[in-house]
């Protein structure tokens, strides 16, 4: 399954959005031929992990650095097998002392298939406790901040 590297895109006055394109495979499908709802959450997590760990600014964002505190998911449309990749777009909706609130969409040019609001908490890997975000992390993630609700139905 071909996956492309993520990228940051400008969204006009809303700052940047992290975009990760992903092709779908047979393992993503349920018995009805739709992308399984658990796989949709995994796709969002894969995009966020790529952004926060693999594509982070070295020396700015600690790695490994986050655990999930929560996810809120709204499925909008059925997603079926296709040749074109879907885009997973992620932006920051709130930066707390030790947490990031993230809004992610699985979409293409025609539709939004799934919306996910996540809370990721920065962790001290030695103490296994929440830690404060560094100034560098705050600046990095602020580039992806948007004043939008996490979910369109919220």
């Amino acid at each position: 399954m071909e996956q492309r590297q993520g990228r940051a895109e400008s969204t006009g006055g809303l700052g940047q959005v992290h975009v990760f394109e992903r092709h779908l495979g047979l393992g993503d499908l349920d018995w009805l031929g739709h992308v399984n709802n658990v796989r949709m959450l995994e796709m969002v997590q894969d995009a966020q992990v790529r952004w926060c760990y693999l594509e982070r600014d070295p020396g700015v964002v600690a790695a490994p650095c986050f655990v999930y505190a929560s996810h809120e998911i709204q499925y909008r449309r059925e997603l079926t097998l296709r040749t074109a990749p879907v885009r997973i777009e992620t932006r920051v909706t709130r930066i707390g002392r030790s947490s990031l609130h993230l809004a992610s969409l699985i979409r293409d040019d025609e539709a939004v298939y799934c919306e996910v609001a996540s809370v990721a908490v920065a962790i001290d890997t030695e103490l296994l406790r929440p830690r404060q975000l560094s100034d560098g992390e705050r600046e990095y993630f602020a580039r992806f901040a948007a004043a939008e609700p996490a979910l369109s139905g919220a």
Side-chain angles (χ1 to χ4, degrees), residues 82-148:
R82 59 210 253 142
T83 57
V86 292
R87 288 192 318 271
I88 297 105
E89 299 178 355
T90 302
R91 61 177 34 105
V92 176
T93 57
R94 182 176 172 275
I95 300 173
R97 275 181 41 137
S98 62
S99 64
L100 296 173
H101 293 239
L102 307 171
S104 296
L105 302 174
I106 297 177
R107 64 172 306 145
D108 59 20
D109 291 338
E110 314 299 315
V112 172
Y113 298 95
C114 179
E115 298 178 60
V116 180
S118 305
V119 177
V121 177
I123 293 295
D124 179 314
T125 57
E126 290 182 21
L127 300 175
L128 299 178
R129 302 189 71 162
R131 64 169 176 82
Q132 287 189 18
L133 294 169
S134 70
D135 291 340
E137 288 172 320
R138 288 177 179 288
E139 289 174 23
Y140 174 73
F141 289 115
R143 296 187 341 221
F144 296 89
E148 297 182 349

Side-chain angles (χ1 to χ4, degrees), residues 64-98:
C65 55
F66 294 100
V67 296
Y68 287 107
S70 68
H71 293 292
E72 181 182 342
I73 306 167
Q74 292 188 10
Y75 301 98
R76 298 291 179 201
R77 293 183 75 158
E78 296 173 348
L79 180 57
T80 56
L81 191 62
R82 59 210 253 142
T83 57
V86 292
R87 288 192 318 271
I88 297 105
E89 299 178 355
T90 302
R91 61 177 34 105
V92 176
T93 57
R94 182 176 172 275
I95 300 173
R97 275 181 41 137
S98 62

